[in-house]
Amino acid sequence: MSSDVEHMRSGRAIATGGGRRGTGVDSGTVATLPVVARNPVPAPRLTKQAVLVEAIALLDEEGDEALTMRRLADRLGVVPMALYRHVANKDELIDGVLDLAVSEVQLPSSRLGWRSGLRELGHSVRRTMLAHPGLVAPLVTRPSLGSSGLAIGEYGLAVMLDAGFSVEHADRGPKAVLTYTIGFVALEVPRRRQGFSADGADAPGLDFPVEQLDPERFPHTIAVRPRAAEFVSDAQFDYGLERVLDGLAAVQPTGKPTQRTTTGVRGGGARRR
Amino acid sequence: MSSDVEHMRSGRAIATGGGRRGTGVDSGTVATLPVVARNPVPAPRLTKQAVLVEAIALLDEEGDEALTMRRLADRLGVVPMALYRHVANKDELIDGVLDLAVSEVQLPSSRLGWRSGLRELGHSVRRTMLAHPGLVAPLVTRPSLGSSGLAIGEYGLAVMLDAGFSVEHADRGPKAVLTYTIGFVALEVPRRRQGFSADGADAPGLDFPVEQLDPERFPHTIAVRPRAAEFVSDAQFDYGLERVLDGLAAVQPTGKPTQRTTTGVRGGGARRR
DNA sequence: TTGACATGTGTACAGCGTACACAGTTTGAT
DNA sequence: ATCAAACTGTGTACGCTGTACACATGTCAA
């Protein structure tokens, strides 16, 4: 879950826990006010959590360009500089938001077997990223890998080692799956953003209609044209994912045969179980 | 050829700010010379090409954050707004630069066979993008796909159809390869940017040392730790790429067996044993 | 000569991230 | 009970960004 956003600071210090503020024992200068007027509630101060949560909401609602310190501060009813008491700068804000989103990724059951496990992992990652399209750019752009990312890695590792893969394969296999998955979503998101017709009437991401392609240069592209629009489809995602999984099956240690539906026979189908 | 910097028309005294435009080049003398010194040469005007070429140079030399209209204009010895005669806005500039870079991708020989062809294509794309790290973010971020991108698609399609793959596989297979490749490079570039030691002493992209991971939560990750740094290695790239290719081999039509080459292929070792 | 057209200049503006000095409240030590 | 230190939010200000707009200049066709 989200919770562990901050703790990774080496020193404790940060803490920011929820409840620590004590009862106001003093009275002091406040005397000018009636005693009763003191608000017993410690006042809901801004916290890093609150900032990150609001940031992700802003991102989801208004897109990545809308995420500015000023707008975020506005939504929190606060002046822009107030945010800097809780995040060092905008980069740290984005890292925090990213980790928050990554923490939403649902890890598949660990009883699943390597193939189903990795497949579900890929789907889960894609689902989460599509829910926060504004975070895809930061995801591929930033080097940081929060603890939530580590948990994903741990899952992949575990499921592969359990299946009898060597350490090398267990390490690299899930990385390949995630690389493919993240790459797909990264390419997919901007193409979804600009509308495209699923029937392939016009290929998304092309600056010009297929009609005016030079038949000399692009004979096959023209012939296959109706498929161009498929770059962002579920089916295309599944297809590539299954190919990676097939590739892993091909190097699986022979000791434990998996239910790969045998038959190198075409099968062609994207999904196999 | 980036040096087509300006030309400073002699006649013009108007000034335009004093000192800048230092980009040097010609004719220090001048000034206060006979008024008649009209320049008969039509003057090498700024062109869109020149702007794009200079932009890519700026990007490569100083990183993506350095690519601003003002800095680019400076390098061209011109006022910022002058650029807008050649590109509609910064987005179009970036699209142009991106397409220019993509056009540098060397397509492998078409006699190569699907497996080697796609492998070389992946390597070629990666090589090109690593040569222009500042362009990776735009590559995954923008929906546009210039004609150079189409040529890459055409190549993949051709090599697959030649090998006897069905239209569906010929369409989707190369897309899977490219998705993986682009995803890998996208993840790789920011991790390369922040230094990391290849020996895995500290894993890149981690905000904290492996030592302080909770052994309960991350047992396998800790055990495998030396491999963490490998996220950005050539070997990891090759590994995943070979898995995708294996996956395609698994759905290859049986009619034409391919030489599942175990040979050669650049040092990139991820081979099975 | 004229005048349309293309190209580069200069100024200006809104918006961005954030440095810095300050004010209010809360807390801990005395 | 007092006082100093510490947080946390405020206000102002700076440098940088992309780019709208009006204008100066150079070229070429009529």
Side-chain angles (χ1 to χ4, degrees):
Chain A
M1 295 275 296
S2 58
S3 50
D4 54 14
V5 185
E6 67 249 325
H7 80 96
M8 51 182 70
R9 256 39 210 80
S10 53
R12 57 236 53 287
I14 294 251
T16 92
R20 59 74 127 79
R21 31 191 150 267
T23 63
V25 183
D26 69 287
S27 51
T29 63
V30 246
T32 50
L33 292 182
V35 195
V36 216
R38 270 192 100 268
N39 189 345
V41 171
R45 305 259 230 31
L46 210 51
T47 66
K48 181 166 183 179
Q49 266 297 316
V51 170
L52 296 182
V53 167
E54 192 65 36
I56 211 171
L58 169 55
L59 210 51
D60 292 346
E61 290 170 28
E62 312 192 39
D64 41 358
E65 295 191 348
L67 180 55
T68 72
M69 300 304 269
R70 283 167 222 261
R71 286 168 88 128
L72 178 55
D74 261 12
R75 287 174 66 123
L76 289 163
V78 119
V79 95
M81 285 308 293
L83 303 177
Y84 288 87
R85 297 291 175 195
H86 304 279
V87 295
N89 49 45
K90 195 180 180 183
D91 273 7
E92 192 188 289
L93 172 76
I94 293 182
D95 281 340
V97 171
L98 186 57
D99 195 55
L100 200 57
V102 172
S103 73
E104 288 177 11
V105 173
Q106 293 260 348
L107 294 184
S109 156
S110 56
R111 344 181 52 93
L112 225 46
W114 73 269
R115 184 159 184 140
S116 312
L118 291 187
R119 174 163 44 224
E120 286 312 309
L121 184 61
H123 282 145
S124 189
V125 167
R126 175 162 176 252
R127 218 179 301 122
T128 302
M129 292 319 295
L130 287 182
H132 308 291
L135 279 172
V136 169
L139 174 66
V140 298
T141 266
R142 325 210 137 243
S144 82
L145 173 60
S147 60
S148 312
L150 278 181
I152 293 178
E154 174 72 17
Y155 175 86
L157 216 39
V159 84
M160 290 289 280
L161 289 173
D162 279 0
F165 279 93
S166 72
V167 170
E168 178 180 7
H169 287 305
D171 174 53
R172 292 191 155 147
K175 283 177 181 171
V177 169
L178 289 171
T179 297
Y180 167 78
T181 300
I182 291 171
F184 189 91
V185 179
L187 293 173
E188 174 179 26
V189 159
R191 287 173 176 74
R192 273 186 192 278
R193 207 174 328 248
Q194 74 168 16
F196 68 95
S197 47
D199 62 340
D202 51 349
L206 262 58
D207 288 346
F208 39 85
V210 183
E211 282 77 10
Q212 57 192 64
L213 287 182
D214 178 358
E216 298 270 318
R217 277 185 75 195
F218 305 109
H220 304 99
T221 302
I222 293 173
V224 173
R225 156 194 166 173
R227 309 203 135 270
E230 276 244 311
F231 216 131
V232 297
S233 70
D234 287 352
Q236 175 64 34
F237 175 72
D238 287 342
Y239 178 89
L241 182 55
E242 294 303 324
R243 294 297 74 72
V244 178
L245 296 174
D246 279 354
L248 291 175
V251 295
Q252 190 179 11
T254 47
K256 286 192 180 182
T258 334
Q259 70 296 11
R260 156 132 221 285
T261 45
T262 62
T263 68
V265 178
R266 42 140 312 92
R271 220 166 238 276
R272 131 179 319 109
R273 108 101 272 131
Chain B
M1 57 158 60
S2 60
S3 67
D4 55 22
V5 231
E6 84 195 65
H7 48 292
M8 174 169 281
R9 23 206 5 84
S10 41
R12 231 154 98 53
I14 286 278
T16 81
R20 64 94 119 126
R21 126 192 274 110
T23 52
V25 188
D26 60 328
S27 75
T29 87
V30 229
T32 70
L33 281 190
V35 202
V36 224
R38 270 192 92 269
N39 188 346
V41 170
R45 299 301 221 351
L46 209 52
T47 65
K48 182 165 184 178
Q49 265 297 315
V51 171
L52 296 182
V53 167
E54 192 65 37
I56 210 171
L58 170 56
L59 211 50
D60 291 346
E61 289 170 28
E62 312 191 40
D64 43 358
E65 294 191 346
L67 180 56
T68 73
M69 299 305 268
R70 282 168 225 261
R71 285 168 89 127
L72 178 56
D74 261 11
R75 288 175 65 122
L76 289 164
V78 121
V79 97
M81 286 309 293
L83 303 177
Y84 287 87
R85 299 288 175 194
H86 305 278
V87 296
N89 49 46
K90 195 180 181 184
D91 274 8
E92 192 187 289
L93 172 76
I94 293 180
D95 280 341
V97 171
L98 186 57
D99 195 54
L100 200 56
V102 172
S103 73
E104 288 178 11
V105 173
Q106 293 260 348
L107 295 184
S109 156
S110 56
R111 349 181 48 94
L112 224 46
W114 72 269
R115 185 158 181 141
S116 313
L118 291 188
R119 174 164 43 224
E120 286 311 310
L121 184 62
H123 282 145
S124 189
V125 167
R126 175 163 176 252
R127 219 179 299 124
T128 301
M129 293 319 296
L130 287 183
H132 307 291
L135 279 173
V136 169
L139 174 67
V140 299
T141 265
R142 324 209 136 245
S144 84
L145 173 60
S147 61
S148 313
L150 279 180
I152 292 177
E154 174 72 17
Y155 176 86
L157 215 39
V159 83
M160 290 290 279
L161 289 174
D162 279 0
F165 279 93
S166 72
V167 169
E168 179 180 6
H169 287 305
D171 175 53
R172 292 191 155 148
K175 283 178 182 170
V177 169
L178 289 171
T179 297
Y180 167 77
T181 300
I182 291 171
F184 189 90
V185 179
L187 293 172
E188 174 179 26
V189 159
R191 286 171 177 76
R192 273 185 192 278
R193 210 176 322 250
Q194 75 170 19
F196 69 95
S197 49
D199 63 338
D202 50 349
L206 261 58
D207 288 345
F208 41 85
V210 184
E211 280 78 10
Q212 59 191 65
L213 287 181
D214 178 358
E216 299 269 318
R217 278 184 77 194
F218 305 110
H220 303 97
T221 302
I222 292 172
V224 172
R225 156 195 165 170
R227 310 203 133 273
E230 276 244 311
F231 216 132
V232 298
S233 70
D234 287 352
Q236 175 64 35
F237 175 72
D238 288 341
Y239 178 89
L241 183 54
E242 294 303 323
R243 294 297 74 71
V244 178
L245 296 174
D246 279 354
L248 291 175
V251 295
Q252 188 180 12
T254 47
K256 284 193 183 184
T258 332
Q259 75 295 10
R260 195 150 124 64
T261 172
T262 310
T263 61
V265 190
R266 35 185 292 124
R271 184 109 297 103
R272 89 190 27 65
R273 58 266 282 175

